[in-house]
Amino acid sequence: IGSILTTTTGTVYHTSSDYRLKENVSPLTGSIDRLKSLKPCTFNFLTEPSRNEEGFIAHEVQEVVSGAVSGTKDAVDEDGNIDAQGLDASRLVPLLTSALQEAVEKIEQLEERISALES
């Protein structure tokens, strides 16, 4: 399930990641294409119009990394107030890491081809 640890200098949020708790483990593939479908943006919150932020729109991320988003798009509570979606950006890290690994592999292959052509 995980844990929250605090020290005198910070807070650490641990998500369970022990291999003994998992099955059907396989590498991520096609991560660059998924990464390219994310839509990072700049915005400001309605409550702070003068403060610019960088981030994502939750329902757009939900289409790519569903586990990173909580809540339902356009949901309202019983009084008609916004029941806002939330985003756990840390859930994007596996996709980002995998996409970067794929990109590095492509770069290395291209460097080898260039080196061979220059020889």
Side-chain angles (χ1 to χ4, degrees):
I1 293 175
S3 62
I4 300 173
L5 305 173
T6 57
T7 67
T8 57
T9 58
T11 304
V12 178
Y13 299 91
H14 285 148
T15 300
S16 296
S17 190
D18 191 298
Y19 75 97
R20 296 169 295 176
L21 302 173
K22 301 175 181 185
E23 64 181 2
N24 302 317
V25 177
S26 59
L28 287 177
T29 58
S31 298
I32 289 176
D33 290 333
R34 289 178 61 209
L35 178 70
K36 287 168 51 175
S37 66
L38 289 174
K39 302 173 188 170
C41 58
T42 61
F43 58 90
N44 65 273
F45 285 102
L46 298 173
T47 56
E48 294 187 74
S50 64
R51 182 177 170 186
N52 290 324
E53 298 278 348
E54 297 175 342
F56 298 94
I57 305 299
H59 72 269
E60 293 175 352
V61 172
Q62 194 167 34
E63 296 172 11
V64 181
V65 185
S66 61
V69 177
S70 61
T72 303
K73 181 180 185 277
D74 299 325
V76 294
D77 66 16
E78 60 276 354
D79 297 323
N81 299 310
I82 292 173
D83 187 3
Q85 287 186 289
L87 172 66
D88 179 356
S90 70
R91 296 292 187 116
L92 301 178
V93 172
L95 176 63
L96 296 171
T97 302
S98 179
L100 181 57
Q101 289 172 334
E102 288 178 12
V104 167
E105 184 176 331
K106 286 184 179 192
I107 290 167
E108 290 172 345
Q109 290 170 355
L110 290 170
E111 287 175 337
E112 287 178 17
R113 287 178 60 194
I114 291 169
S115 180
L117 290 170
E118 290 176 341
S119 297

